[in-house]
Amino acid sequence: MADELELLRRADPMPVDGPHYGDGPLDHNAERRLAELLRQRPAGRRTWLRRTAAGHRARLAWGLVAAAVVTAVTLALVVSGPGTPPAVAAPRPLVVRADSTPVPLKVLAERAAAAADGGAPELRKGTHVQSWSMGMSDDEPPVTLPEERVVRWKADGSHTELVVATDPRHPGRPVLRDDGGDPHLVEDGHVISRQTYPPSWSDAPPESPPPHDVARLRAYLQEAASLRTAPDTGELLDAVDVLLDHWTLGARESATLARLLAGAEGLRPVGQVTDRLGRRGQAYVYEGSGTRRMLIMDPATGAVLGLETTFTKADPEYGVRAGDVMDYSAWMR
């Protein structure tokens, strides 16, 4: 892993001061450096589009993402063996109910504020999330990583992290894993990792509690996502992802976040969806450069339930079709 990190540092396809930092395609020089990086990467090594230990996504660029999904959306990777067939390699995108009425974010923010008057539930450090993401290899087919992660903090500042392989679309069925570079099936609920971390404290976002003021929350999210300037809507959604990978929001925090999102440019209501955990929510969509982000929120409390990214443009060279899912997260209490 160390050698790959060094290659990334040298290639630096997306410098923080570059014009395409965050959402958007790579420029010509970045594409060239990225191509050089991929040629140097040792054969057989997989690069996963997944969260790092700090909770941030390893987002090289949408161009790299496209390379990561070579035919993944049409592939049902089956590993031979007894038992029930494995889940399909890629999920279908969430579908908005045609007969549903979109709820404006300002209306949802008002509902969240009313729900917060009771003061419950309360903010809790830690997260419980089910996620799915794509991985790539230069010499093997792409495989998926459906998993559930539970992080719990204790009073002494220590915390535990449990990660299990599970696919909410097919409960009880085998789950495809790629531990050690060897694609294989594991049982639903298979423990991938179980760790306990020593006490640690920080007053910097996202480790510090999120504020209840909209302006301060925007600044908090900017710092949590390591952005040099105020986030645009795409970057704001990325920062929300970071926040929810560290905190389970209470009623007051959800209400503040809903007010902030209500002012986000280009985040439009589209109607009701049922997420991959069977929960009904209101969906809000932001169209980026070749991608669509769908934010799912509880219609009564304004709590964020999930976030899904799909492609909006086809790229036959990489086997990408419009509507293909890149990744998703579904958060729980």
Side-chain angles (χ1 to χ4, degrees):
M1 192 58 157
D3 54 345
E4 293 180 344
L5 290 175
E6 182 58 32
L7 289 175
L8 278 171
R9 294 188 186 100
R10 292 204 304 266
D12 194 19
M14 292 188 67
V16 294
D17 57 351
H20 297 289
Y21 182 64
D23 294 338
L26 297 177
D27 60 19
H28 175 72
N29 290 331
E31 289 281 8
R32 176 180 54 79
R33 293 196 297 272
L34 183 57
E36 293 173 354
L37 166 66
L38 294 176
R39 283 197 297 271
Q40 296 177 65
R41 187 165 54 86
R45 292 286 185 88
R46 292 187 181 274
T47 300
W48 295 108
L49 301 177
R50 60 188 301 186
R51 294 169 178 79
T52 66
H56 293 273
R57 290 190 182 280
R59 297 172 60 247
L60 299 182
W62 296 129
L64 175 57
V65 173
V69 297
V70 184
T71 70
V73 295
T74 59
L75 175 67
L77 185 56
V78 178
V79 180
S80 60
T84 309
V88 179
R92 296 179 180 179
L94 295 176
V95 178
V96 178
R97 287 186 53 177
D99 60 347
S100 63
T101 301
V103 176
L105 261 170
K106 289 185 178 180
V107 173
L108 193 68
E110 293 172 356
R111 294 179 184 177
D117 286 343
E122 295 183 351
L123 177 70
R124 184 178 68 218
K125 193 169 188 179
T127 189
H128 185 183
V129 58
Q130 284 194 347
S131 61
W132 179 92
S133 58
M134 291 181 178
M136 63 163 283
S137 172
D138 50 11
D139 60 353
E140 295 179 17
V143 296
T144 62
L145 289 171
E147 62 188 38
E148 184 169 351
R149 185 167 59 96
V150 181
V151 179
R152 292 288 179 259
W153 285 75
K154 301 179 181 180
D156 65 356
S158 64
H159 69 280
T160 61
E161 180 183 64
L162 173 66
V163 183
V164 300
T166 186
D167 188 341
R169 297 167 299 140
H170 303 281
R173 294 175 62 178
V175 181
L176 185 64
R177 295 299 303 172
D178 186 46
D179 305 316
D182 177 24
H184 61 286
L185 294 178
V186 298
E187 293 301 316
D188 182 34
H190 168 77
V191 175
I192 301 168
S193 67
R194 188 194 304 268
Q195 300 186 60
T196 299
Y197 296 90
S200 63
W201 294 270
S202 173
D203 58 0
E207 299 298 335
S208 58
H212 299 147
D213 174 80
V214 170
R216 291 174 57 209
L217 179 59
R218 180 182 294 276
Y220 174 101
L221 293 175
Q222 177 180 335
E223 184 174 352
S226 302
L227 300 173
R228 292 187 174 183
T229 59
D232 60 23
T233 301
E235 292 168 335
L236 179 61
L237 293 176
D238 288 335
V240 169
D241 196 336
V242 174
L243 171 66
L244 296 179
D245 273 351
H246 285 78
W247 293 90
T248 301
L249 301 187
R252 294 181 64 191
E253 292 76 23
S254 290
T256 305
L257 180 58
R259 293 199 304 272
L260 174 59
L261 292 170
E265 184 177 356
L267 188 59
R268 57 185 178 86
V270 292
Q272 187 182 94
V273 299
T274 300
D275 76 358
R276 293 179 175 84
L277 301 181
R279 303 171 299 183
R280 289 191 177 184
Q282 282 291 323
Y284 301 88
V285 164
Y286 174 74
E287 303 280 350
S289 177
T291 61
R292 183 187 74 167
R293 313 291 297 279
M294 178 184 283
L295 183 74
I296 303 104
M297 303 178 72
D298 187 293
T301 67
V304 174
L305 302 179
L307 184 62
E308 176 185 81
T309 305
T310 58
F311 292 97
T312 57
K313 296 181 181 179
D315 192 334
E317 180 181 357
Y318 295 115
V320 173
R321 300 175 302 180
D324 290 344
V325 177
M326 181 191 304
D327 60 20
Y328 74 78
S329 295
W331 290 279
M332 298 161 275
R333 284 202 67 85

